[in-house]
Amino acid sequence: MSDTIEKLMDAAESGIRLRGYHAVSFRDLAEELGIKSSSVHYYFRQKEDLGIALVERYAERFFATLDAKAKKAKTPEDRIRVFARVYRDALTGSDRICLCGMLGAESCGLPPELSEAAAGFLQANIDWVVESLSGTMKPKARKKRAAHVVATLQGAMILASSLKDYGLYDHAVQDLLAA
């Protein structure tokens, strides 16, 4: 991937995670990078194409990190701790909520393919947690618990970011792991 595309995607991801999809424009991205708006259109024909590329890149990075860190996790609890840690690292590393959490919140107003891509990321999170939970749990209970884990972490990210207090995230994780 060219350096310009990486910088463009980095700026767009940061903007969306901070302000939302509709608050990021090709004109603003071009201005931020010191390039012409037509150059942004050269790489991404439509804003939706950029959004989908961002979700794909975000998911690839997220799951690569998650899988690498989860290799040493031996128990379901260890795997959930790793999962929560990867979320926390994403929050504290950028001081922003999850890209797909932000897009999910805006899903009613997004182009359908972008909304589906964000939903796909969130579903993949749930599926990963389902696979991580104890096989002694019934499948329906695992799915319910996995959705609860992801919803709790996404909500905790929003609160921690909005209120500028990472302790809120940590407390939510502690309560989640204690349950």
Side-chain angles (χ1 to χ4, degrees):
M1 202 178 287
S2 80
D3 191 45
T4 301
I5 294 174
E6 278 295 317
K7 288 179 181 176
L8 177 59
M9 290 179 74
D10 289 345
E13 180 182 329
S14 178
I16 292 170
R17 288 176 72 185
L18 183 63
R19 298 182 307 277
Y21 178 79
H22 296 293
V24 174
S25 71
F26 276 14
R27 183 179 310 129
D28 292 339
L29 293 171
E31 187 176 306
E32 184 177 333
L33 296 177
I35 60 176
K36 294 180 181 180
S37 184
S38 60
S39 297
V40 178
H41 286 279
Y42 174 78
Y43 295 112
F44 299 99
R45 193 164 180 208
Q46 298 176 16
K47 188 175 172 184
E48 177 182 1
D49 299 327
L50 172 59
I52 291 169
L54 287 172
V55 170
E56 290 170 353
R57 182 181 81 160
Y58 190 80
E60 183 179 306
R61 289 177 173 178
F62 177 86
F63 285 107
T65 300
L66 181 59
D67 291 341
K69 291 186 177 197
K71 283 183 181 179
K72 294 181 182 179
K74 298 192 185 320
T75 67
E77 293 80 13
D78 291 343
R79 290 182 60 83
I80 300 305
R81 275 189 191 86
V82 168
F83 186 77
R85 186 70 201 179
V86 171
Y87 262 66
R88 190 182 198 289
D89 291 347
L91 171 65
T92 59
S94 66
D95 200 29
R96 290 169 176 82
I97 69 169
C98 169
L99 173 69
C100 294
M102 178 65 91
L103 293 172
E106 296 182 293
S107 64
C108 291
L110 295 178
E113 283 188 47
L114 179 55
S115 179
E116 290 169 17
F121 173 82
L122 295 170
Q123 184 62 56
N125 277 241
I126 292 169
D127 294 343
W128 191 94
V129 175
V130 165
E131 291 300 316
S132 296
L133 293 173
S134 175
T136 60
M137 289 177 75
K138 293 185 180 191
K140 189 173 181 178
R142 282 199 325 235
K143 287 180 185 179
K144 184 178 175 183
R145 178 71 175 152
H148 179 253
V149 167
V150 174
T152 299
L153 297 182
Q154 286 286 338
M157 287 182 91
I158 292 169
L159 285 176
S161 179
S162 296
L163 299 175
K164 307 291 185 233
D165 182 356
Y166 297 137
L168 292 169
Y169 180 87
D170 297 334
H171 294 303
V173 170
Q174 287 171 353
D175 290 346
L176 189 65
L177 293 172

